[in-house]
Amino acid sequence: MDQIVDITTDGRHLSKVRGFLKISEGGTETTKRIPLDQVAGVIVHAHGTTWSNSLLTELAARGVPVVLCGSNHAPRAVLMPLEGHHAQGRRIRAQWQAKRPLLKQIWKQVIVAKVDMQAASLEAMGESSAVLRMMIRKVTSGDSNNIEAQAARYYWPRMMGEDFRRCTEGRDENALLNYGYTILRAATARAVVAAGLHPCIGVHHSSGGNAFALADDLMEPFRPLVDCAVRQLSADNGTQVDSVAKQTLARLIATDVPFGEGVTPVSVALTKLATSLGQSFETGKPVLALPRPPDALTLVGLGR
């Protein structure tokens, strides 16, 4: 099963030993070994962390991102490989040359899926979702009416409480959300590179300073899964980003979501979504493989 390796204790050394990622204390005593085939991402929060070059090159060869975080648990840098898919050159050319109408249709599909997931999440929490259901019908090409922002204004007070304000620098639930989104972003970035796409060429997010604009685009429909988990964590465990919270949020990439005619883990769904996007760029037809919301019982259970 895919694992997110989270380094939170100061002074750890990361290295490669045969087919394992080894975590050592003080450079000598081994604290843990994890099969490299199971590593989906490495997230580093701790000070004084060191690593071997052989480990970083091995992680790059496997398409595994290494995320460096600030004190608020938001990512500050991400290390990703230069090479990914066997058709990377062709895919990236198609991605770069994609016409605006195609990008707008793709973004419409992403926003419809995101608002649908938000609506299902509110329903699972016993909140009304009728307004969001009506908004879904109003999403246009490129989301020209900015339904995403309208939905967010309705969604957040009902998901996190009337006094909640989403702020990446906030401490309360925002720190938990930052951490959960960082895990999701790392898994999405890995899927993007594995699909032969370039993470900095976004469909909608296009900030010149964002090296992972495409990952930010594709993770949007999955964000409400993090929100559900954070709501439950806050109620049961408080808002501190402790070991319980980290382990709980790291497990989200293994959550099964309805996909096609069956279910698949979030990490696999992200890979299928990124692959379908690459194919859409090449064919010029916007056909994305997007997840459907899990059942209410699954959504309520996230964070426990």
Side-chain angles (χ1 to χ4, degrees), residues 23-269:
I23 304 172
S24 306
E25 183 176 4
T28 55
E29 182 183 349
T30 300
T31 60
K32 193 169 186 179
R33 290 191 182 197
I34 303 164
L36 285 165
D37 288 338
Q38 295 182 12
V39 179
V42 178
I43 301 177
V44 181
H45 299 267
H47 297 291
T49 303
T50 59
W51 41 72
S52 68
N53 187 63
S54 61
L55 172 65
L56 293 183
T57 54
E58 184 64 31
L59 292 174
R62 294 167 182 265
V64 177
V66 178
V67 184
L68 310 180
C69 295
S71 59
N72 62 349
H73 304 286
R76 290 289 178 262
V78 185
L79 308 179
M80 287 295 292
L82 293 174
E83 297 180 0
H85 194 273
H86 65 88
Q88 187 176 55
R90 185 180 74 239
R91 282 263 171 98
I92 290 178
R93 281 194 296 273
Q95 179 185 5
W96 183 254
Q97 295 170 358
K99 302 300 183 184
R100 191 65 189 159
L102 174 62
L103 297 177
K104 291 172 71 175
Q105 286 297 319
I106 288 171
W107 187 240
K108 175 184 176 180
Q109 293 182 27
V110 169
I111 295 305
V112 167
K114 178 181 182 179
V115 179
D116 186 34
M117 193 75 80
Q118 288 176 324
S121 298
L122 289 185
E123 290 169 4
M125 303 300 164
E127 302 284 347
S128 173
S129 66
V131 172
L132 293 184
R133 295 293 180 195
M134 292 191 63
M135 286 184 183
I136 290 173
R137 294 182 240 167
K138 298 179 181 179
V139 180
T140 58
S141 176
D143 190 24
S144 57
N145 295 328
N146 204 8
I147 294 298
E148 181 186 20
Q150 295 179 47
R153 285 194 291 272
Y154 180 86
Y155 170 79
W156 281 118
R158 289 159 181 82
M159 176 56 70
M160 294 296 176
E162 291 293 337
D163 296 332
F164 176 80
R165 296 293 181 273
R166 176 65 185 133
C167 173
T168 57
E169 300 302 322
R171 291 293 171 185
D172 49 52
E173 293 92 346
N174 280 290
L176 286 169
L177 290 169
N178 287 346
Y179 186 83
Y181 293 155
T182 296
I183 290 171
L184 187 55
R185 194 186 200 204
T188 310
R190 185 188 190 192
V192 164
V193 173
L197 298 170
H198 201 296
C200 80
I201 307 173
V203 170
H204 176 75
H205 291 91
S206 57
S207 169
N210 185 358
F212 290 87
L214 186 58
D216 290 341
D217 287 334
L218 295 189
M219 66 184 274
E220 291 292 349
F222 299 88
R223 282 179 181 264
L225 301 178
V226 175
D227 306 338
C228 289
V230 168
R231 173 173 165 143
Q232 192 60 51
L233 273 168
S234 299
D236 294 346
N237 195 53
T239 59
Q240 62 272 24
V241 186
D242 58 14
S243 60
V244 172
K246 290 174 182 177
Q247 291 170 12
T248 301
L249 292 171
R251 289 197 300 268
L252 286 178
I253 65 168
T255 300
D256 284 332
V257 293
F259 203 98
E261 297 180 357
V263 296
T264 190
V266 167
S267 59
V268 178

